[in-house]
mmCIF file of all heavy atoms in Angstrom:
data_model
loop_
_atom_site.group_PDB
_atom_site.id
_atom_site.type_symbol
_atom_site.label_atom_id
_atom_site.label_comp_id
_atom_site.label_asym_id
_atom_site.label_seq_id
_atom_site.Cartn_x
_atom_site.Cartn_y
_atom_site.Cartn_z
ATOM 1 N N MET A 1 -2.151 22.637 33.223
ATOM 2 C CA MET A 1 -1.203 21.610 33.642
ATOM 3 C C MET A 1 0.152 22.244 33.920
ATOM 4 O O MET A 1 0.553 23.199 33.280
ATOM 5 C CB MET A 1 -1.048 20.584 32.527
ATOM 6 C CG MET A 1 -0.427 19.315 32.977
ATOM 7 S SD MET A 1 -0.103 18.285 31.545
ATOM 8 C CE MET A 1 1.509 18.790 31.111
ATOM 9 N N PHE A 40 8.509 24.983 -13.213
ATOM 10 C CA PHE A 40 8.660 25.499 -11.853
ATOM 11 C C PHE A 40 10.129 25.624 -11.446
ATOM 12 O O PHE A 40 10.486 25.278 -10.331
ATOM 13 C CB PHE A 40 7.955 24.636 -10.790
ATOM 14 C CG PHE A 40 6.783 23.832 -11.235
ATOM 15 C CD1 PHE A 40 6.587 22.535 -10.745
ATOM 16 C CD2 PHE A 40 5.833 24.340 -12.091
ATOM 17 C CE1 PHE A 40 5.486 21.798 -11.126
ATOM 18 C CE2 PHE A 40 4.737 23.601 -12.475
ATOM 19 C CZ PHE A 40 4.567 22.323 -12.001
ATOM 20 N N PRO A 43 15.088 29.407 -8.113
ATOM 21 C CA PRO A 43 13.988 30.292 -7.732
ATOM 22 C C PRO A 43 13.315 30.885 -8.948
ATOM 23 O O PRO A 43 13.954 30.988 -10.001
ATOM 24 C CB PRO A 43 14.708 31.384 -6.931
ATOM 25 C CG PRO A 43 16.103 31.391 -7.464
ATOM 26 C CD PRO A 43 16.400 29.996 -7.899
ATOM 27 N N LEU A 47 7.360 36.324 -12.460
ATOM 28 C CA LEU A 47 6.054 35.909 -11.953
ATOM 29 C C LEU A 47 4.993 36.270 -12.984
ATOM 30 O O LEU A 47 5.144 37.205 -13.752
ATOM 31 C CB LEU A 47 5.754 36.609 -10.620
ATOM 32 C CG LEU A 47 6.742 36.286 -9.496
ATOM 33 C CD1 LEU A 47 6.361 37.025 -8.223
ATOM 34 C CD2 LEU A 47 6.792 34.787 -9.227
ATOM 35 N N ARG A 98 -17.244 -10.789 17.409
ATOM 36 C CA ARG A 98 -17.381 -9.340 17.606
ATOM 37 C C ARG A 98 -16.014 -8.651 17.521
ATOM 38 O O ARG A 98 -15.889 -7.588 16.923
ATOM 39 C CB ARG A 98 -18.018 -9.116 18.977
ATOM 40 C CG ARG A 98 -18.169 -7.685 19.369
ATOM 41 C CD ARG A 98 -19.049 -7.578 20.593
ATOM 42 N NE ARG A 98 -18.922 -6.262 21.201
ATOM 43 C CZ ARG A 98 -18.019 -5.953 22.121
ATOM 44 N NH1 ARG A 98 -17.190 -6.881 22.556
ATOM 45 N NH2 ARG A 98 -17.946 -4.752 22.614
ATOM 46 N N VAL A 101 -14.741 -7.773 14.032
ATOM 47 C CA VAL A 101 -15.351 -6.738 13.205
ATOM 48 C C VAL A 101 -14.439 -5.515 13.107
ATOM 49 O O VAL A 101 -14.238 -4.964 12.020
ATOM 50 C CB VAL A 101 -16.749 -6.351 13.737
ATOM 51 C CG1 VAL A 101 -17.308 -5.171 12.963
ATOM 52 C CG2 VAL A 101 -17.684 -7.542 13.614
ATOM 53 N N ILE A 106 -11.058 -2.126 9.602
ATOM 54 C CA ILE A 106 -9.793 -1.413 9.401
ATOM 55 C C ILE A 106 -9.036 -1.931 8.182
ATOM 56 O O ILE A 106 -8.292 -1.197 7.537
ATOM 57 C CB ILE A 106 -8.931 -1.541 10.677
ATOM 58 C CG1 ILE A 106 -9.437 -0.541 11.702
ATOM 59 C CG2 ILE A 106 -7.471 -1.312 10.404
ATOM 60 C CD1 ILE A 106 -8.968 -0.814 13.079
ATOM 61 N N LEU A 128 -19.225 -7.689 -12.603
ATOM 62 C CA LEU A 128 -20.170 -6.695 -13.115
ATOM 63 C C LEU A 128 -20.293 -6.679 -14.634
ATOM 64 O O LEU A 128 -21.371 -6.456 -15.162
ATOM 65 C CB LEU A 128 -19.795 -5.291 -12.628
ATOM 66 C CG LEU A 128 -19.919 -5.048 -11.133
ATOM 67 C CD1 LEU A 128 -19.579 -3.607 -10.810
ATOM 68 C CD2 LEU A 128 -21.320 -5.371 -10.646
ATOM 69 N N GLY A 132 -23.271 -6.070 -17.978
ATOM 70 C CA GLY A 132 -23.236 -4.863 -18.797
ATOM 71 C C GLY A 132 -22.885 -3.624 -18.012
ATOM 72 O O GLY A 132 -23.035 -2.509 -18.495
ATOM 73 N N HIS A 144 -14.215 3.645 -2.757
ATOM 74 C CA HIS A 144 -13.932 4.623 -1.710
ATOM 75 C C HIS A 144 -14.705 4.300 -0.440
ATOM 76 O O HIS A 144 -14.165 4.402 0.660
ATOM 77 C CB HIS A 144 -14.288 6.025 -2.195
ATOM 78 C CG HIS A 144 -13.309 6.586 -3.180
ATOM 79 N ND1 HIS A 144 -13.313 7.879 -3.573
ATOM 80 C CD2 HIS A 144 -12.284 5.997 -3.830
ATOM 81 C CE1 HIS A 144 -12.333 8.087 -4.444
ATOM 82 N NE2 HIS A 144 -11.702 6.942 -4.618
ATOM 83 N N ASN A 155 -15.574 6.804 14.883
ATOM 84 C CA ASN A 155 -16.180 7.959 15.526
ATOM 85 C C ASN A 155 -17.470 7.597 16.238
ATOM 86 O O ASN A 155 -17.704 8.006 17.365
ATOM 87 C CB ASN A 155 -16.442 9.055 14.493
ATOM 88 C CG ASN A 155 -15.210 9.885 14.253
ATOM 89 O OD1 ASN A 155 -14.823 10.658 15.119
ATOM 90 N ND2 ASN A 155 -14.565 9.678 13.137
ATOM 91 N N PHE A 182 -34.238 6.016 17.959
ATOM 92 C CA PHE A 182 -33.075 6.330 17.141
ATOM 93 C C PHE A 182 -33.207 7.735 16.556
ATOM 94 O O PHE A 182 -32.282 8.525 16.601
ATOM 95 C CB PHE A 182 -32.919 5.308 16.009
ATOM 96 C CG PHE A 182 -31.708 5.589 15.157
ATOM 97 C CD1 PHE A 182 -30.450 5.204 15.586
ATOM 98 C CD2 PHE A 182 -31.826 6.277 13.956
ATOM 99 C CE1 PHE A 182 -29.332 5.498 14.824
ATOM 100 C CE2 PHE A 182 -30.713 6.572 13.193
ATOM 101 C CZ PHE A 182 -29.458 6.176 13.632
ATOM 102 N N TYR A 184 -35.149 10.344 17.450
ATOM 103 C CA TYR A 184 -35.270 11.535 18.309
ATOM 104 C C TYR A 184 -34.204 11.610 19.404
ATOM 105 O O TYR A 184 -33.975 12.662 19.961
ATOM 106 C CB TYR A 184 -36.665 11.592 18.939
ATOM 107 C CG TYR A 184 -37.749 11.766 17.916
ATOM 108 C CD1 TYR A 184 -38.667 10.756 17.659
ATOM 109 C CD2 TYR A 184 -37.817 12.943 17.165
ATOM 110 C CE1 TYR A 184 -39.641 10.913 16.688
ATOM 111 C CE2 TYR A 184 -38.791 13.107 16.196
ATOM 112 C CZ TYR A 184 -39.707 12.083 15.958
ATOM 113 O OH TYR A 184 -40.650 12.240 14.993
ATOM 114 N N PHE A 187 -29.811 9.559 17.317
ATOM 115 C CA PHE A 187 -29.229 10.226 16.163
ATOM 116 C C PHE A 187 -28.736 11.643 16.479
ATOM 117 O O PHE A 187 -27.607 11.991 16.127
ATOM 118 C CB PHE A 187 -30.208 10.246 14.992
ATOM 119 C CG PHE A 187 -29.640 10.874 13.772
ATOM 120 C CD1 PHE A 187 -28.669 10.221 13.029
ATOM 121 C CD2 PHE A 187 -30.039 12.142 13.371
ATOM 122 C CE1 PHE A 187 -28.125 10.803 11.916
ATOM 123 C CE2 PHE A 187 -29.488 12.742 12.256
ATOM 124 C CZ PHE A 187 -28.538 12.070 11.526
ATOM 125 N N LEU A 223 -10.709 14.698 -9.321
ATOM 126 C CA LEU A 223 -9.709 15.766 -9.317
ATOM 127 C C LEU A 223 -8.274 15.229 -9.227
ATOM 128 O O LEU A 223 -7.408 15.668 -9.993
ATOM 129 C CB LEU A 223 -9.995 16.761 -8.190
ATOM 130 C CG LEU A 223 -9.241 18.068 -8.329
ATOM 131 C CD1 LEU A 223 -9.653 18.812 -9.591
ATOM 132 C CD2 LEU A 223 -9.470 18.951 -7.119
ATOM 133 N N ILE A 225 -7.159 12.462 -10.302
ATOM 134 C CA ILE A 225 -6.837 11.873 -11.599
ATOM 135 C C ILE A 225 -6.614 12.972 -12.634
ATOM 136 O O ILE A 225 -5.721 12.889 -13.469
ATOM 137 C CB ILE A 225 -7.976 10.931 -12.080
ATOM 138 C CG1 ILE A 225 -8.222 9.841 -11.049
ATOM 139 C CG2 ILE A 225 -7.670 10.349 -13.445
ATOM 140 C CD1 ILE A 225 -7.260 8.706 -11.065
ATOM 141 N N VAL A 253 -12.272 26.543 4.938
ATOM 142 C CA VAL A 253 -13.672 26.781 5.247
ATOM 143 C C VAL A 253 -14.390 25.533 5.764
ATOM 144 O O VAL A 253 -14.911 25.529 6.880
ATOM 145 C CB VAL A 253 -14.397 27.392 4.023
ATOM 146 C CG1 VAL A 253 -15.859 27.610 4.343
ATOM 147 C CG2 VAL A 253 -13.720 28.688 3.628
#
Side-chain angles (χ1 to χ4, degrees):
Chain A
M1 197 187 90
F40 333 141
L47 298 180
R98 177 169 165 271
V101 174
I106 280 164
L128 294 183
H144 286 191
N155 276 289
F182 181 80
Y184 296 112
F187 182 72
L223 195 63
I225 303 281
V253 179

